[in-house]
Amino acid sequence: MKSKLNLDVKQIDEARSSAKRIAESMQEFIDRHTTVSTERTILRLLGVDGTDDVLTPLPNVVVDRLLDNGQLSKGVANFIGSAIHNLKKSPQEISEMVSEGTLDFESLKPVKKEDVEKALKPYITESLKKIKTQTEKREEYLKTIGEGKKPYLYVIVATGNIYEDVVQAKAAVHQGADIVAVIRTTAQSLLDYVPFGATTEGFGGTYATQENFKIMREALDEAGEEVGRYIRLCNYSSGLCMPEIAAMGALERLDVMLNDALYGILFRDINMQRTLVDQFFSRVIIGYSGVIFNSGEDNYLTTADAFEEAHTVLASQFINEQFAVLANIKEEQMGLGHAFEMDPDMENGFLYELAQAIMAREIFPRASLKYMPPTKFMTGNIFRGAIQDAMFNLVSVWSGQSLQLLGMLTEAIHTPHMQDRYLAIENASYIFNNARNLGEEIEFKENGIIQKRAQKVLKDARALLMDIEKEGLFSTIEQGKFGGVKRPRDGGKGLLGVVVKNEDYLNPFIPLMMGGAK
Amino acid sequence: MAQKKKEEKMVATSKVDLTQVKPYGDSLNDGMVETAFTLPVPHGEEANEAARILTKKMGLMEPNVVYSKDMGSGYTFFVVYGKCVHTVDFTNIKVTKVEVDVMSREECGAYWEKNIGRPVVIVGASTGTDAHTVGIDAIMNMKGFHGHFGLERYKGIEAINMGSQVPNEQLIEKAVSVKADAILVSQTVTQKDVHITNLTNLIELLEAEGLRDKMIVIAGGPRISHELAQELGYDAGFGPNSYAEDTASFVLTEMVKRKMV
C-alpha cells in the first residue's frame, strides 16, 4: 500500500534492522540468566499453587529456598524433576513437603537428565493442554458469537473489590465495551509474589490473583454471551512478577496483558536486568497463549513532552516489536502503545496527533496498536474533557487503531464512575460509527504539515535507534533517553533475584512454547 | 410583549443581594442547577420519578429529568435540572488560603539573591503507594507544566525529585542527608482516603524524630486544599492549578519569615 505520509521505506527498514540488533544483543544477556520470578513461573506451570501457613505462596517458598542455598542457577525444574523421579509425588506435593520441612532437595539421589525430563513430562503436557483448551475456547467464541469492530472499545474497572469490579464490568459490556481491564491495586508491581485467592481490598485497583482472573473471566463470558460478542479481559503481566502473571493469564484465558520491561524500569524503578529477563519468558507465554501484549510507550508522554519526544515512542515500539519477534509472537498480538497527549492549546496539535497515529499504523500495519487517551492535560472541566476525548476518538477511527482505551471525561478527578464509562463508550461509538471509513477517503497534501510531521518523527526515531545500537540499551536507559527518566543498571528493585544459569540449567517450557507445542 | 421584555431587563440589571446568593442560569435568582447521576434501579417511569424525588431532597425544586438512559444490569443514568432553594451569604465567607504574594520565577530568583543567597534544598516525592508522578514532576522538573517551568530551573533552588512510591521513611532519610529546607509531598490517589493516612503518617514520623520544625513541609495534589493540609499539620497545601512559582514563593518567603536563612 502506498504511504499516505510519503514515508521513506528505506528509513523504516533501517530503523527496524537497528532495533533487531539491539534486541538480539540484549537477548544474549537474557539467555545467560534466570530470575526468581521466572523459576516461580515454571512451578506454577507445573501445577504448584496455594500458600504456606503464613500465606507465602508455595512457588516463593520453594524458589527462595533454592536461592538461599545458592542452587537456583540449575533451575527449579531440575530439582522438581528429580524429586518426582525419586519420590513418585506431584510437584504440588513436593512443594508442600519443602514448605513443611519434610524434604530437602540435597538429600535426593542424583538423577540422569533424561529421567528428570521424563518425570516432568506429564505435568508439562497437562499444563500446555490447559492453555490450549483456553485458546481453543477463545477461537470458538470468536467463531460463534463474534466480536466488536475495531477499534475495540477498551475500558477499565478499578474498585479494589473483585465482586464490585464484576458489577461494573458487566454494566460496561452492556453499554458496548469490547475489552475490560481490571486495574491493579497501586504498588502490586513492586510485590515479589502474587497474592492468593479472591480479594476485596485494594487502592486504585484490585489485586491480580489467579482466582480474581477466574471470577472476572466467568463474568465476562456470561455477559459476552448475553450481548452476543466476545469480551476480552485485560490485566498486567508487569512488575516483579511479570512471567508468573503471564502464566496465570494464559491458564485463565486473559486476552490482553500489559507487558513492557522498559515501562517497569522507567516508571516503577524495577531493575533493568531483572525485568528484561522476566519479560522474555512472559512474552514466550503470551505468544503461545494467543494473548495480545500491550507495551507502555504511551507513558513516556506523561512525563516527557508529547510533541518533542514523539520519536522516543516510535523507537521504543520498534524495540518492543523485535523483542516480541524473539519470543515468537505474531504481529497481530503486538499491542504497541502510543498516546494522544499533546497540549490542547498547541496550534495544529490535532494535525500532529493524526500524523503520528497514521504513521504508527503504516509502520506496524498488522500490529494491534493500543492507543491511549489524553490524561496529562485533563483539567476537571468535564465538558471540555469530553471534547478532548472526542478529538482522540476521531484520530483513532481515522487512522485505524486497534485497541482504544477510552478517555474518561472525569480523568484527573477520580477513578471512573459507572456513568463516566457509559458516556465514554457513547462518545466513541458515535464517532467511530459516524466516521467509520474516513481514513479510506482522505489523502494528505504532499509536503504538508501532516506528512512532514510524520517524516520528522521517523527520521528522529531512526537516529535514536542508531545511537542506542552503538551505546547498548542498558546505557541508553542510564542516560535517561526514554521518558526523561534515568535508571542505573544495578539500581532499582529486584536485582537480587537475578541468577546466572549454570550448564545444567533447565526451563522445559521455553522450547516447547516457542515451537507451538500442542 | 414589550412589557415582558422590560421586566426581564429590570431583573437582569437589578443588584445581586450578596447575603442571599443562589445559582444563576439565565436570570438572576432562578437557582438553576444541572446534575448528573446514576441510580441502581432499572430504567423506566419509576426510575425517573425516583430521580425527581431525590433531586427535590437535594433542595432542587421543580426537578426536570431531561435525560435518562438504561445502562444495563439494572442501572439508570440521569441528567436532571432543578431550581435550588438554598442561598449563601457571600458577605460572610472565610477561606484559609496560602498567605503569600506569588512571585514569578525571575522575581523568586531576585528575592533569593537579596534575602537568602545560599542554596535552598527542596526534596519532593509522590509517597506511599502512590505511583502518579505527573504532579510532582510538574512542580519540580526543569520542564514544568503548561509553560510554567519547574523548580529545577529556579535560581538558588536545588530541587531533588525522588519520584513515585517513596516510603515516608525514605523521604525523611533523604531530606536529612541533603539538609533539606523544604519537603514537597504529592498525593494523587485518594480512593478510600489513603492520602490522609499517608500524609498524617509523614507528619507523625517527622515529629517523632524532632524534625517537624526544622523544615517547611508542603502537600500538593488534585484533591489537596490548604485547609486540609493545615489540618493535617502541613505548612501549606496546593491544589489544582498550582505551579512551581506558588511553591517557590511560599518556601522562599517562609524561610525568610522563620529566619531559616
Side-chain angles (χ1 to χ4, degrees):
Chain A
M1 204 181 85
K2 192 182 168 293
S3 168
K4 285 186 182 176
L5 299 170
N6 210 4
L7 295 176
D8 180 354
V9 179
K10 192 168 149 265
Q11 281 193 21
I12 298 174
D13 290 345
E14 283 168 2
R16 191 165 264 130
S17 312
S18 216
K20 183 166 186 278
R21 290 187 293 270
I22 292 164
E24 281 169 351
S25 93
M26 189 51 63
Q27 192 64 32
E28 285 170 25
F29 172 87
I30 292 166
D31 288 340
R32 289 198 305 275
H33 295 83
T34 186
T35 65
V36 285
S37 33
T38 299
E39 297 305 311
R40 295 196 299 257
T41 308
I42 295 172
L43 284 175
R44 285 187 185 274
L45 288 171
L46 290 171
V48 178
D49 200 2
T51 67
D52 69 6
D53 49 12
V54 291
L55 300 179
T56 308
L58 282 182
N60 286 68
V61 173
V62 176
V63 168
D64 288 350
R65 185 72 52 84
L66 292 172
L67 182 70
D68 293 345
N69 296 344
Q71 294 168 310
L72 200 60
S73 58
K74 284 181 77 172
V76 71
N78 264 315
F79 294 94
I80 296 290
S82 74
I84 300 170
H85 182 83
N86 275 299
L87 308 171
K88 309 285 173 253
K89 290 195 184 293
S90 72
Q92 175 72 21
E93 290 166 325
I94 291 162
S95 301
E96 284 167 9
M97 288 169 72
V98 171
S99 156
E100 289 155 7
T102 52
L103 170 65
D104 182 357
F105 285 126
E106 280 176 15
S107 69
L108 295 171
K109 281 187 305 211
V111 175
K112 280 188 296 196
K113 193 166 177 251
E114 306 89 86
D115 289 333
V116 167
E117 284 169 5
K118 211 169 124 194
L120 290 169
K121 186 113 196 285
Y123 299 98
I124 294 170
T125 310
E126 195 189 328
S127 180
L128 295 182
K129 205 172 116 194
K130 270 188 201 155
I131 296 174
K132 273 289 157 197
T133 308
Q134 290 287 27
T135 52
E136 281 161 15
K137 181 129 193 221
R138 180 191 298 122
E139 280 157 26
E140 171 75 23
Y141 266 132
L142 289 174
K143 225 183 294 164
T144 52
I145 61 175
E147 60 178 340
K149 283 185 193 154
K150 284 181 189 170
Y152 299 138
L153 306 181
Y154 177 163
V155 299
I156 62 171
V157 294
T159 69
N161 177 334
I162 188 63
Y163 301 105
E164 199 69 39
D165 285 342
V166 162
V167 172
Q168 299 226 356
K170 282 186 158 178
V173 170
H174 283 277
Q175 291 153 20
D178 299 307
I179 304 178
V180 175
V182 182
I183 297 293
R184 284 199 304 193
T185 181
T186 79
Q188 188 179 353
S189 56
L190 303 183
L191 298 180
D192 213 338
Y193 65 92
V194 184
F196 181 78
T199 68
T200 54
E201 282 296 320
F203 294 112
T206 306
Y207 282 99
T209 72
Q210 192 161 349
E211 186 59 25
N212 286 349
F213 286 1
K214 188 176 286 181
I215 292 168
M216 187 55 87
R217 177 74 274 165
E218 273 174 25
L220 293 184
D221 282 349
E222 201 181 288
E225 284 169 25
E226 283 162 19
V227 296
R229 62 178 196 280
Y230 183 63
I231 308 301
R232 289 181 166 83
L233 172 57
C234 172
N235 210 295
Y236 296 69
S237 166
S238 61
L240 288 170
C241 296
M242 203 184 235
E244 280 183 279
I245 299 180
M248 290 162 30
L251 291 166
E252 302 302 337
R253 188 164 34 89
L254 267 69
D255 306 283
V256 182
M257 300 198 91
L258 283 85
N259 176 265
D260 189 349
L262 284 171
Y263 172 76
I265 297 165
L266 299 174
F267 297 97
R268 292 293 177 266
D269 196 14
I270 293 173
N271 176 264
M272 56 178 90
Q273 304 180 39
R274 164 72 179 266
T275 193
L276 280 159
V277 176
D278 281 346
Q279 177 177 272
F280 174 62
F281 192 23
S282 65
R283 287 212 177 160
V284 170
I285 297 167
I286 281 169
Y288 179 73
S289 53
V291 170
I292 296 170
F293 78 84
N294 281 178
S295 57
E297 285 87 357
D298 42 281
N299 291 283
Y300 302 168
L301 304 180
T302 61
T303 51
D305 186 86
F307 183 76
E308 290 161 19
E309 301 295 326
H311 65 291
T312 64
V313 169
L314 178 57
S316 176
Q317 287 174 325
F318 272 119
I319 296 173
N320 258 317
E321 176 191 51
Q322 293 306 315
F323 274 133
V325 167
L326 290 172
N328 205 16
I329 296 183
K330 286 191 209 135
E331 278 175 76
E332 289 76 7
Q333 286 170 247
M334 296 181 189
L336 303 172
H338 60 142
F340 184 98
E341 283 282 18
M342 286 184 208
D343 187 337
D345 290 344
M346 175 182 235
E347 190 171 48
N348 286 324
F350 183 83
L351 278 66
Y352 302 133
E353 295 282 15
L354 181 64
Q356 290 173 203
I358 294 178
M359 174 197 72
R361 182 38 84 209
E362 288 194 357
I363 294 176
F364 307 102
R366 282 200 291 276
S368 291
L369 293 175
K370 176 195 69 162
Y371 200 31
M372 298 293 278
T375 59
K376 191 175 176 180
F377 292 97
M378 295 294 273
T379 56
N381 177 352
I382 55 173
F383 303 101
R384 178 177 159 117
I387 299 172
Q388 287 170 268
D389 288 337
M391 300 283 265
F392 159 68
N393 288 330
L394 185 59
V395 168
S396 180
V397 70
W398 191 335
S399 59
Q401 302 301 308
S402 311
L403 280 59
Q404 177 83 345
L405 189 97
L406 296 185
M408 294 290 144
L409 78 171
T410 52
E411 176 75 41
I413 305 175
H414 48 233
T415 49
H417 290 170
M418 187 179 272
Q419 69 224 29
D420 303 340
R421 220 176 277 115
Y422 148 69
L423 291 165
I425 291 171
E426 186 182 66
N427 178 333
S429 308
Y430 160 47
I431 292 167
F432 289 178
N433 184 57
N434 214 233
R436 183 69 67 191
N437 297 99
L438 182 61
E440 294 152 36
E441 295 291 318
I442 293 189
E443 291 181 2
F444 301 111
K445 184 170 145 191
E446 193 155 336
N447 285 321
I449 297 172
I450 291 175
Q451 282 203 353
K452 280 209 223 137
R453 172 64 188 165
Q455 290 161 7
K456 179 170 188 327
V457 174
L458 172 60
K459 182 168 159 269
D460 292 351
R462 173 180 155 276
L464 175 59
L465 283 163
M466 289 182 157
D467 274 359
I468 298 171
E469 194 188 339
K470 224 181 295 162
E471 287 275 339
L473 188 55
F474 284 152
S475 23
T476 306
I477 300 168
E478 287 182 315
Q479 290 165 25
K481 287 195 182 160
F482 291 111
V485 183
K486 292 179 186 172
R487 296 297 185 198
R489 188 177 313 215
D490 292 324
K493 298 157 187 101
L495 179 60
L496 288 176
V498 181
V499 174
V500 178
K501 294 176 187 172
N502 85 5
E503 56 196 7
D504 298 328
Y505 178 82
L506 177 67
N507 179 347
F509 288 100
I510 287 182
L512 288 170
M513 285 180 162
M514 292 205 24
K518 285 270 164 358
Chain B
M1 189 69 200
Q3 201 186 347
K4 191 159 183 261
K5 224 173 192 170
K6 202 177 160 196
E7 266 174 24
E8 271 173 22
K9 203 178 168 204
M10 266 171 56
V11 175
T13 52
S14 65
K15 206 167 174 301
V16 179
D17 178 359
L18 289 177
T19 63
Q20 289 187 68
V21 175
K22 54 159 66 181
Y24 182 104
D26 71 349
S27 53
L28 189 64
N29 293 332
D30 61 14
M32 288 307 290
V33 170
E34 60 213 35
T35 63
F37 55 87
T38 298
L39 291 177
V41 298
H43 185 240
E45 273 313 308
E46 290 77 8
N48 290 354
E49 185 56 23
R52 271 190 288 272
I53 294 169
L54 186 68
T55 309
K56 272 190 197 165
K57 288 187 176 175
M58 293 181 210
L60 302 177
M61 293 304 116
E62 299 173 47
N64 188 8
V65 176
V66 296
Y67 184 72
S68 73
K69 168 84 184 179
D70 183 359
M71 292 202 297
S73 311
Y75 291 83
T76 306
F77 173 62
F78 304 91
V79 178
V80 187
Y81 280 79
K83 297 179 174 177
C84 184
V85 294
H86 303 295
T87 63
V88 168
D89 181 357
F90 190 72
T91 60
N92 212 5
I93 298 272
K94 285 198 176 49
V95 177
T96 31
K97 283 188 218 159
V98 181
E99 298 282 338
V100 62
D101 294 326
V102 177
M103 300 178 281
S104 70
R105 182 172 58 95
E106 292 79 6
E107 287 165 350
C108 281
Y111 182 88
W112 171 81
E113 216 156 62
K114 182 158 170 256
N115 299 291
I116 302 178
R118 65 156 177 91
V120 171
V121 181
I122 303 180
V123 178
S126 178
T127 57
T129 57
D130 203 329
H132 298 75
T133 60
V134 175
I136 195 73
D137 289 347
I139 301 298
M140 299 201 81
N141 293 2
M142 191 74 79
K143 168 100 190 156
F145 188 74
H146 222 259
H148 298 254
F149 290 126
L151 295 177
E152 275 184 352
R153 196 166 285 199
Y154 278 60
K155 193 172 190 182
I157 292 181
E158 191 187 319
I160 302 168
N161 182 356
M162 295 179 70
S164 69
Q165 300 188 334
V166 177
N168 283 327
E169 291 81 359
Q170 212 171 311
L171 173 60
I172 293 174
E173 205 177 295
K174 183 79 180 180
V176 170
S177 77
V178 297
K179 300 199 171 62
D181 297 293
I183 293 181
L184 306 185
V185 185
S186 168
Q187 295 282 279
T188 304
V189 174
T190 55
Q191 209 175 24
K192 296 173 191 164
D193 282 338
V194 64
H195 63 305
I196 306 283
T197 321
N198 198 27
L199 288 169
T200 309
N201 174 255
L202 177 70
I203 295 296
E204 285 171 358
L205 289 172
L206 285 169
E207 279 172 354
E209 300 196 24
L211 295 166
R212 177 62 193 88
D213 299 331
K214 300 199 169 81
M215 298 170 191
I216 298 164
V217 190
I218 298 172
R223 300 277 80 77
I224 305 285
S225 67
H226 183 54
E227 193 176 3
L228 173 70
Q230 287 212 312
E231 258 174 48
L232 299 176
Y234 286 73
D235 293 308
F238 291 99
N241 305 314
S242 312
Y243 298 101
E245 56 263 35
D246 299 297
T247 314
S249 303
F250 181 79
V251 170
L252 297 176
T253 49
E254 193 71 11
M255 281 177 69
V256 171
K257 212 188 284 175
R258 294 198 202 173
K259 304 196 166 45
M260 286 169 71
V261 294

